[in-house]
Amino acid sequence: MRPTFLGFEASKTALFATQKALDITGNNLSNISSEGYTRQRVDQVSMGYYCYGTKYNINARTHLAGMGTNVLGISQTRNEQLDNAFRTQYAEVGDYSQRNTMLTEIESVLQEMDIGTDGNGYGLRYSIEEMYTSLQDLSMDASSITDANVVVAAFTNFATTMRQVSMNLEEKAEQYKQELQVDTQTVNTILEKISVLNRDIKRAMVAGGYTEEYGPNEMLDERNLLLDELSAYGEVGVKYYADGTADVTLGGRLVVKDETNEMLDFSRNNDGTVSVRWRSTGENVGLGPGIITASTEIINGRGDGAISANESSFMGFRFYKDKLDELASRIADVCNNTIPKEVDVDGNVVSYVKFFGAQMTNDFGETEILPDMYISSDNIKIMDDIKADPSKILTNNGVTKDNKYILELLADLSTTKIKFTNGDATFEDYITGYLTNLGNDITYYDTRSESAQTVNEELLNSRESITGVSENEETVNMLTYNRAYQAAARMMTVMDELLDVLINQMGV
Amino acid sequence: MRITNNRITRNYLFNANRNLQYYNDSSNKLTTGRAFTRVSENVSGGKKAMRLRTQLYQNAQFQKNVSAANEKLTIAEQSLREMSDIITSIKEQAQRGGGVVDDDSMDILASTVDEFKATMLQYANCTYVDEYVFGGTNAKTAPFTADANGALMYNGTVVSDIVKNNAGNFVDQDGNAVEFSEKIYIDIGLGMVNLEEGKIDVQSAYDTSFSGLDCLGFGTSEFTYKNNDGVEVTEEFPNNIYDIATEISKALRDKDTQKLSALTDRMSEAHNNLLKNVADLGVRTQYLERTLTQLKDEEVNIQTMQTELEGINDTEEIVKMNEYKYAWMLTLQFGGNLLPQSLMDFLK
């Protein structure tokens, strides 16, 4: 026995279903450019009513067939593998780009190749060139006060350039430290948002009757977008649960579980390094490749000279500051111990003319320049007495043209292989050395960054082809559902006619 | 694979940006005229370029040094030639005095010799810029002066007392070094280095000092001659031409003809010594001129290498830039049709 009004029900379900499908099609089209939107589909299934276990044999086989359609839910398709692959790749992109950017900025500070506006350039090599040429001119006439003036001016210029470069490097490092601080705050915000979403999704799942297959799509999209953003900062791993929450790991460590999340703390250490730590345990983070790791390693990077546990063995800011310091110290060493000031009667040197000293501020806030303290790139300065009276560098007040000490200084500045910690080299070769180092690093990370980005694009394309909205597809759907709606409405009319015959015309 | 709108637009942007980047890089190269402005753009090239720059400025300095040294030695040569002429004149006066002449003429001859002597002293103290050419390392005072007795002094030491010690340095009778008699070296690109103990390796520098003592003569030496009385006497004659001239003048006044002729011989010896030094100088200036030519050639070589390394080939670069510009125009033009028509456009 067929229920009388069954037909209406079936068509009614069709009307609702197609209306919903059109809604979803409209939704897809309006969200075609929304970031992180995954296309949604209406899952329709034919309604079936199967009873078993009752004592009445209702014979549902024929009587209850044809119940119409049921909208199971609105699904979205995502491919978890692609998501993971994308996030891993994105972390690499973030890492290499960050390293590339930071190292390129270090190179701008240590710039030597640019020839500037007068064709001479303005780096350290040029100031050494000036020292050299002025000393050569002095060696041709070792009693000339004019030439001595030029020499002192060249040496002063060197000290100034050195301090300038050192200061610029320090400022760049500071700038990146602040950026790192902002980055850790960003990560914290993301983690918090994810945990809040976890809570909301869980509640929505319960309240809205969502299931694992048909979840709250918009919130899921939002969470995925946040996870993508997070993956630039470190190695992200996700695990989904049936209740809708997701466990997020960062660098292998659980950072979001259910509604709780971990936080990162940024701190500056006494030795000038920075640390990013987990708030709960205080340990240093190890996030794997990503922006945070790249940034920290380069800021704390001291290369082979890493002594404390905080410093990394990457060749970063501190490494190049060390190089500058060593250069300043050695040049000051050579210049301060070659030209004699006092010679005793046997011709032995009693004291040397000191060109450079370390500028120190004493307890009273006064600055003095001391030649015997350790001279580094940020405190090197020309001695006041030399600056005031350049003729002091002349032997015996310029009464002799004996220039052998000047020649010694010249040879030391240009041809002698000075002892540096990493080997012997002339001063200019030393500078070339660390610049080549830097250049090689930049070339390497530039290439890796480019290749990572290309792979990234590929993955995005793959992901897009699964999750993206295609205008053609939606249009076809639109036509289909429109038709279906018309058909259902027509069906309704037919059913009505049938009943009309039955009720109004039979047995009258 | 499903093609979505987003994919089309994103790919377009990615590639368009790349095209623009190529175009930008190329136009940068053209406007700066340099193949790279940072070491990271071309590491091995950058390293070489920096070395070449160093070589270039050092070369320029060497040329400057060599020219200056050459000028100084040329002036020395000229002075010596003048002094040589004076010596010839003095010898003439002495020879005239060898013939029979009266007292007045002798006096005139003697006075002439005295004047020549003074001129000679002037030449010995000649300067180049502010430097006394024959002064060794003396920067302030004239090197050759006459003491109270009229004997020639070099930087305060009587020249006749000076001898050369075993090491080849000038010392006085007590063995003390003569003041300001050190050598002056300059760097002309022979690869000047310091020895292990920090002193300059003199083999790697060029000695531009010029010893006035060697040219004018120093110390004394014995001379045997028959004096007016026919007795063989041995006297210590000074070796330097100034003191010899003094003796000649005295001999003229004393009318000691034998001594006069002995002194004239002495003077000839000293003259030869001077001429030998002149020839020496000639050789040295020739060497310096050769070095200068060599340095100039080197300069051209280095500059050529530098241009090849750091410069760009204009034609090539312009062609490349035009290619990129064309690619960019294409990108823009077809970007207008970026999103092709979809089904939506054909619905009624």
Side-chain angles (χ1 to χ4, degrees):
Chain A
M1 279 282 283
R2 170 187 173 277
T4 318
F5 296 95
L6 183 61
F8 278 113
E9 276 305 312
S11 296
K12 191 172 76 177
T13 55
L15 286 175
F16 287 153
T18 46
Q19 272 172 344
K20 180 50 63 191
L22 276 172
D23 285 342
I24 298 298
T25 308
N27 190 33
N28 279 344
L29 280 173
S30 37
N31 279 312
I32 203 167
S33 50
S34 301
E35 206 184 333
Y37 178 77
T38 313
R39 67 177 162 93
Q40 295 173 355
R41 285 272 168 279
V42 170
D43 277 354
Q44 286 180 302
V45 79
S46 170
M47 198 123 76
Y49 179 69
Y50 304 104
C51 65
Y52 50 88
T54 71
K55 56 186 182 181
Y56 300 107
N57 176 10
I58 305 186
N59 197 5
R61 197 184 57 207
T62 46
H63 298 319
L64 292 178
M67 304 272 265
T69 178
N70 192 14
V71 173
L72 276 182
I74 318 292
S75 67
Q76 52 167 223
T77 19
R78 281 191 90 97
N79 184 335
E80 216 172 297
Q81 256 89 329
L82 274 179
D83 274 338
N84 284 338
F86 169 76
R87 286 177 190 141
T88 316
Q89 191 61 30
Y90 199 51
E92 275 192 29
V93 169
D95 189 286
Y96 293 137
S97 310
Q98 182 74 5
R99 282 183 210 257
N100 194 18
T101 313
M102 287 171 88
L103 289 175
T104 309
E105 297 228 6
I106 296 183
E107 195 184 32
S108 305
V109 169
L110 300 176
Q111 174 67 280
E112 295 286 337
M113 279 301 290
D114 192 7
I115 54 173
T117 46
D118 58 358
N120 283 325
Y122 39 81
L124 285 170
R125 291 179 79 258
Y126 181 61
S127 44
I128 293 185
E129 176 184 332
E130 285 195 314
M131 284 162 81
Y132 176 86
T133 47
S134 63
L135 277 173
Q136 281 278 12
D137 286 342
L138 184 61
S139 79
M140 298 298 287
D141 181 2
S143 63
S144 156
I145 296 194
T146 326
D147 287 337
N149 279 340
V150 177
V151 166
V152 170
F155 277 56
T156 312
N157 193 32
F158 171 77
T160 314
T161 311
M162 194 91 214
R163 284 203 310 278
Q164 189 72 35
V165 170
S166 186
M167 190 177 74
N168 284 346
L169 195 61
E170 207 49 53
E171 276 176 9
K172 269 279 173 277
E174 179 57 37
Q175 175 196 325
Y176 277 107
K177 285 182 192 169
Q178 285 175 359
E179 216 178 278
L180 182 58
Q181 188 168 26
V182 168
D183 282 342
T184 49
Q185 280 163 0
T186 313
V187 170
N188 285 345
T189 315
I190 296 179
L191 291 178
E192 223 175 289
K193 280 193 196 165
I194 295 182
S195 68
V196 164
L197 269 173
N198 267 348
R199 180 195 66 188
D200 288 345
I201 292 178
K202 192 164 78 169
R203 287 187 192 163
M205 298 272 280
V206 168
Y210 290 102
T211 68
E212 211 176 326
E213 281 163 60
Y214 303 109
N217 288 332
E218 276 66 30
M219 288 202 274
L220 288 176
D221 280 345
E222 208 182 316
R223 189 170 65 188
N224 275 322
L225 197 56
L226 285 171
L227 284 168
D228 284 348
E229 225 182 290
L230 184 65
S231 68
Y233 293 95
E235 211 179 314
V236 168
V238 196
K239 183 159 174 227
Y240 297 100
Y241 289 105
D243 64 354
T245 58
D247 276 356
V248 180
T249 59
L250 199 55
R253 189 208 162 94
L254 194 61
V255 287
V256 178
K257 177 147 191 78
D258 208 349
E259 301 178 29
T260 58
N261 62 302
E262 175 71 84
M263 301 275 247
L264 299 177
D265 272 338
F266 168 85
S267 58
R268 289 166 192 264
N269 305 321
N270 286 339
D271 57 0
T273 57
V274 296
S275 295
V276 180
R277 302 197 161 94
W278 297 117
R279 188 168 294 178
S280 57
T281 61
E283 287 173 353
N284 278 332
V285 303
L287 300 183
I291 292 180
I292 305 260
T293 311
S295 220
T296 321
E297 269 193 8
I298 295 190
I299 293 177
N300 292 344
R302 210 163 181 182
D304 300 333
I307 35 179
S308 81
N310 286 331
E311 292 167 344
S312 83
S313 59
F314 192 81
M315 293 187 280
F317 284 100
R318 298 174 75 75
F319 175 76
Y320 291 104
K321 174 87 175 23
D322 279 348
K323 289 283 180 196
L324 289 178
D325 281 344
E326 207 178 348
L327 182 65
S329 166
R330 289 285 182 278
I331 284 198
D333 213 19
V334 161
C335 294
N336 282 352
N337 291 306
T338 310
I339 299 190
K341 191 157 109 173
E342 273 175 53
V343 179
D344 68 10
V345 287
D346 300 324
N348 300 326
V349 178
V350 170
S351 68
Y352 289 103
V353 168
K354 302 281 175 198
F355 280 92
F356 294 117
Q359 182 176 34
M360 312 236 127
T361 316
N362 65 9
D363 297 333
F364 303 103
E366 300 157 350
T367 54
E368 26 183 5
I369 307 179
L370 306 166
D372 302 317
M373 302 292 282
Y374 176 70
I375 297 178
S376 70
S377 61
D378 43 13
N379 64 20
I380 183 170
K381 203 152 197 248
I382 194 95
M383 295 294 288
D384 281 333
D385 55 348
I386 302 281
K387 190 166 173 190
D389 183 13
S391 68
K392 284 206 162 55
I393 69 172
L394 301 174
T395 317
N396 273 344
N397 262 327
V399 79
T400 170
K401 289 201 188 294
D402 184 14
N403 66 357
K404 59 174 178 290
Y405 296 113
I406 301 179
L407 291 181
E408 271 172 40
L409 186 55
L410 268 170
D412 274 341
L413 282 179
S414 57
T415 52
T416 309
K417 292 221 188 297
I418 311 286
K419 285 201 180 323
F420 291 100
T421 38
N422 283 355
D424 299 348
T426 66
F427 285 117
E428 296 208 343
D429 280 347
Y430 182 70
I431 297 179
T432 311
Y434 69 67
L435 282 178
T436 324
N437 229 339
L438 185 54
N440 278 331
D441 272 350
I442 294 180
T443 316
Y444 175 72
Y445 285 112
D446 197 26
T447 323
R448 297 299 299 270
S449 169
E450 241 184 85
S451 106
Q453 269 172 350
T454 315
V455 175
N456 199 38
E457 279 298 309
E458 277 306 306
L459 285 171
L460 270 176
N461 278 342
S462 299
R463 195 163 79 160
E464 178 69 20
S465 73
I466 297 188
T467 64
V469 175
S470 158
E471 219 178 289
N472 291 322
E473 202 179 328
E474 301 306 317
T475 315
V476 167
N477 284 346
M478 205 161 66
L479 288 173
T480 318
Y481 293 135
N482 194 12
R483 244 317 171 239
Y485 188 81
Q486 287 168 1
R490 195 79 190 83
M491 200 64 203
M492 227 26 141
T493 318
V494 169
M495 288 294 168
D496 187 47
E497 278 177 25
L498 286 181
L499 278 180
D500 189 48
V501 168
L502 186 63
I503 295 174
N504 292 333
Q505 291 175 27
M506 210 189 214
V508 168
Chain B
M1 195 177 229
R2 284 175 72 242
I3 303 292
T4 60
N5 284 8
N6 271 345
R7 186 193 156 120
I8 297 179
T9 48
R10 206 195 17 261
N11 277 343
Y12 174 79
L13 283 174
F14 185 70
N15 289 322
N17 195 41
R18 231 199 320 212
N19 277 340
L20 198 53
Q21 207 175 328
Y22 290 145
Y23 176 72
N24 188 38
D25 283 345
S26 194
S27 97
N28 253 347
K29 280 194 191 158
L30 272 177
T31 45
T32 57
R34 302 162 62 71
F36 51 90
T37 49
R38 301 174 144 241
V39 175
S40 60
E41 291 176 24
N42 181 350
V43 178
S44 60
K47 194 164 151 181
K48 259 189 249 169
M50 287 197 275
R51 282 237 174 91
L52 285 178
R53 282 190 201 176
T54 307
Q55 283 180 1
L56 206 55
Y57 78 70
Q58 283 181 347
N59 179 302
Q61 184 67 41
F62 296 149
Q63 283 187 39
K64 212 164 141 193
N65 290 358
V66 168
S67 301
N70 202 8
E71 276 175 36
K72 180 173 159 197
L73 291 184
T74 312
I75 301 236
E77 198 183 328
Q78 278 171 3
S79 300
L80 287 181
R81 284 190 198 276
E82 296 291 338
M83 282 203 265
S84 168
D85 288 342
I86 293 182
I87 293 177
T88 315
S89 308
I90 293 183
K91 282 201 294 193
E92 270 176 26
Q93 306 300 320
Q95 272 166 349
R96 281 207 217 132
V100 178
V101 273
D102 53 79
D103 281 350
D104 281 341
S105 309
M106 279 304 215
D107 263 339
I108 294 173
L109 287 175
S111 307
T112 320
V113 171
D114 284 336
E115 271 173 38
F116 278 138
K117 211 175 68 176
T119 318
M120 201 157 60
L121 192 62
Q122 273 179 2
Y123 277 116
N125 285 334
C126 68
T127 57
Y128 163 68
V129 192
D130 320 315
E131 203 179 318
Y132 288 106
V133 175
F134 296 109
T137 56
N138 186 343
K140 293 268 170 41
T141 57
F144 287 106
T145 48
D147 71 358
N149 302 333
L152 186 65
M153 288 210 296
Y154 177 74
N155 288 335
T157 313
V158 177
V159 173
S160 301
D161 291 340
I162 297 180
V163 289
K164 244 190 195 165
N165 69 2
N166 289 338
N169 299 327
F170 291 113
V171 290
D172 64 12
Q173 300 290 352
D174 305 323
N176 298 329
V178 173
E179 265 195 65
F180 299 129
S181 60
E182 298 101 339
K183 290 183 195 276
I184 302 182
Y185 294 94
I186 58 169
D187 185 8
I188 60 165
L190 301 170
M192 189 168 79
V193 284
N194 275 334
L195 297 171
E196 281 297 320
E197 55 267 17
K199 296 285 163 219
I200 200 80
D201 179 6
V202 297
Q203 302 288 348
S204 63
Y206 183 74
D207 182 3
T208 110
S209 56
F210 201 67
S211 173
L213 287 176
D214 271 330
C215 300
L216 269 59
F218 61 91
T220 56
S221 45
E222 288 183 355
F223 205 84
T224 316
Y225 68 98
K226 274 209 177 95
N227 71 358
N228 277 343
D229 305 323
V231 179
E232 267 207 12
V233 290
T234 310
E235 274 185 38
E236 289 265 343
F237 281 168
N239 286 340
N240 72 75
I241 48 187
Y242 185 83
D243 285 344
I244 298 177
T246 317
E247 295 289 322
I248 287 182
S249 167
K250 211 163 72 173
L252 279 171
R253 292 215 162 83
D254 292 342
K255 292 209 263 282
D256 190 344
T257 46
Q258 291 297 2
K259 191 168 180 188
L260 200 58
S261 95
L263 281 170
T264 314
D265 288 337
R266 194 88 203 62
M267 191 58 125
S268 295
E269 279 176 22
H271 195 187
N272 284 340
N273 181 41
L274 187 109
L275 289 173
K276 191 168 67 104
N277 277 293
V278 171
D280 226 6
L281 266 180
V283 170
R284 287 173 81 179
T285 43
Q286 258 187 4
Y287 171 74
L288 283 177
E289 275 161 26
R290 254 204 329 272
T291 311
L292 188 61
T293 319
Q294 234 174 343
L295 285 171
K296 285 203 161 89
D297 285 342
E298 228 176 83
E299 186 181 4
V300 169
N301 278 344
I302 300 175
Q303 278 172 341
T304 315
M305 280 201 277
Q306 200 181 43
T307 318
E308 272 177 40
L309 188 61
E310 293 193 51
I312 53 162
N313 182 341
D314 281 342
T315 337
E316 236 178 77
E317 209 53 49
I318 292 182
V319 167
K320 269 199 212 150
M321 197 184 91
N322 275 329
E323 278 176 23
Y324 296 140
K325 195 158 95 168
Y326 181 62
W328 175 243
M329 295 311 291
L330 275 179
T331 318
L332 289 178
Q333 222 170 337
F334 288 98
N337 303 333
L338 175 64
L339 291 171
Q341 290 181 319
S342 69
L343 197 50
M344 196 82 77
D345 297 302
F346 289 93
L347 289 181
K348 279 199 284 268

